[in-house]
Amino acid sequence: MCPHGYSAYGRFVSDRVFDVLRCELIPFADAVELQGTGESLIYGKFFDFLKLVTESKCKVTLITNASLLNKEILVALCKAGSDIVVSIDAAESSLYSQIRRGGDLSTVLGNLEYWKYIRHSIYNKASLGINMVLCSLNAFKIIEMIDLAEKLNADYLFISEIRQCTLDDANWKRLNIEELRRSEEFQEYVRKVIEYAHRKKVRVQFNFQKRMKAIDVKRNICVSPWEHIYISVDGDVSLCCALSQKFGNLNEISFSEIWNSELLNDFRKKMATGHYCSDCLACCLPWGITHC
């Protein structure tokens, strides 16, 4: 919904795409996830969209940096029983600002303060997760994040690693942890993290990228070509956030044309017959073919 991110979209979701969501997709959807590289809360029609999703009784997940979260938004999200996932990469203000340029940790934590009240006194169907992206700057700062998750009454801490697609070569070389995470020092630290999280009763999940030398297929099929749709802010239609292939644009043709197109049906046929694309073979999503 947002024009910002590592792709320079330069605009918000168009009225045409919003109408497709409103009329053709959301009334029939079981769940809607607002995510990507932008920030959904700056979208001018955010409350209209949330009302639409709530009235359709969809499960809502919002991934946000929480800089614009306020009491009104939190109440609306919690009334809808939403899963709120907040991106926080450090529990210390200066490191947070170093990683998230322009971000202010005290603002984020202040915005989340009301969460603890409404979570236990008003709405108990909503959940709060923290998403931490590891890089060379914060790789040994996970224990502090566990303490923060406990303080915020978060349901879980999800830890992934920085991806090359968001960086130029120089910053990728400076920030990636490909070598570090294979080191004995880091593996020992992760063991300590797991033990600490267990003592603190904070649920922690690691999701490091797969870099396979050989195909490692653990299930024969992924449901995404038949059950999921991923729509970017500029209207491009794909099947999930891990797939680079586009099947059409909602600003140009209808959803039914895209969903029933020869291109998408050919992708489904290849999935069903075990002819997987490189994105699927490197997938980090729990329903993907490389996960049990």
Side-chain angles (χ1 to χ4, degrees):
M1 291 187 169
C2 167
H4 304 291
Y6 61 83
S7 294
Y9 297 117
R11 60 183 180 274
F12 292 97
V13 170
S14 69
D15 289 341
R16 172 168 174 160
V17 172
F18 186 87
D19 285 341
V20 171
L21 292 168
R22 178 173 57 84
C23 299
E24 299 182 47
L25 295 179
I26 291 181
F28 309 101
D30 294 322
V32 174
E33 184 172 297
L34 303 175
Q35 57 117 314
T37 61
E39 174 55 56
S40 294
L41 295 182
I42 70 173
Y43 179 48
K45 291 185 177 180
F46 176 79
F47 277 106
D48 294 334
F49 186 85
L50 185 60
K51 180 182 178 183
L52 172 65
V53 173
T54 303
E55 289 176 347
S56 297
K57 295 182 171 25
C58 287
K59 180 67 176 177
V60 183
T61 299
L62 170 68
I63 301 178
T64 175
N65 61 31
S67 295
L68 296 177
L69 269 185
N70 56 37
K71 186 183 296 187
E72 182 183 14
I73 295 171
L74 276 171
V75 168
L77 289 168
C78 289
K79 279 185 176 179
S82 307
D83 294 327
I84 305 168
V85 182
V86 179
S87 298
I88 303 177
D89 302 313
E92 193 271 321
S93 292
S94 60
L95 181 56
Y96 176 92
S97 299
Q98 185 180 356
I99 296 172
R100 290 189 169 264
R101 299 292 177 86
D104 181 65
L105 181 61
S106 62
T107 297
V108 171
L109 299 182
N111 292 343
L112 288 171
E113 190 64 31
Y114 191 64
W115 159 261
K116 294 186 290 185
Y117 167 70
I118 59 178
R119 170 66 183 275
H120 294 293
S121 61
I122 305 177
Y123 310 107
N124 58 11
K125 292 184 179 179
S127 69
L128 175 67
I130 297 176
N131 183 38
M132 178 187 188
V133 178
L134 289 188
C135 66
S136 60
L137 302 176
N138 65 353
F140 291 96
K141 296 292 184 179
I142 304 173
I143 285 177
E144 291 85 347
M145 286 294 296
I146 292 172
D147 291 336
L148 180 61
E150 180 187 38
K151 180 180 177 181
L152 291 173
N153 293 327
D155 294 273
Y156 60 88
L157 173 63
F158 184 83
I159 302 167
S160 57
E161 65 179 300
I162 195 165
R163 297 186 179 188
Q164 188 171 6
C165 60
T166 65
L167 300 167
D168 56 45
D169 289 341
N171 278 315
W172 171 248
K173 184 177 181 180
R174 180 174 65 91
L175 295 173
N176 85 82
I177 60 168
E178 286 185 310
E179 294 296 328
L180 175 64
R181 73 179 177 89
R182 287 193 285 267
S183 70
E184 181 57 37
E185 179 188 14
F186 184 72
Q187 291 176 24
E188 177 61 27
Y189 178 70
V190 168
R191 286 191 284 270
K192 291 179 180 178
V193 164
I194 294 171
E195 293 171 1
Y196 187 75
H198 181 73
R199 290 200 305 272
K200 286 284 189 174
K201 297 182 179 178
V202 173
R203 184 158 61 97
V204 173
Q205 180 180 349
F206 289 92
N207 191 6
F208 292 133
Q209 295 183 69
K210 293 179 178 293
R211 293 175 179 83
M212 297 166 290
K213 295 181 179 178
I215 294 174
D216 186 20
V217 175
K218 295 181 179 177
R219 60 175 62 161
N220 293 328
I221 203 163
C222 168
V223 299
S224 288
W226 294 270
E227 297 184 6
H228 297 169
I229 201 74
Y230 183 86
I231 302 172
S232 70
V233 68
D234 56 1
D236 282 334
V237 175
S238 188
L239 297 173
C240 75
C241 61
L243 184 64
S244 58
Q245 183 173 354
K246 307 297 186 293
F247 297 93
N249 189 290
L250 292 175
N251 288 300
E252 300 168 359
I253 58 177
S254 69
F255 174 72
S256 61
E257 289 177 284
I258 296 172
W259 189 247
N260 297 301
S261 66
E262 182 178 349
L263 182 63
L264 186 42
N265 282 330
D266 183 60
F267 187 91
R268 293 184 180 110
K269 186 182 298 183
K270 288 179 179 177
M271 172 64 70
T273 55
H275 294 83
Y276 310 118
C277 72
S278 58
D279 288 339
C280 294
L281 290 171
C283 181
C284 63
L285 298 172
W287 56 83
I289 60 172
T290 62
H291 284 251
C292 296

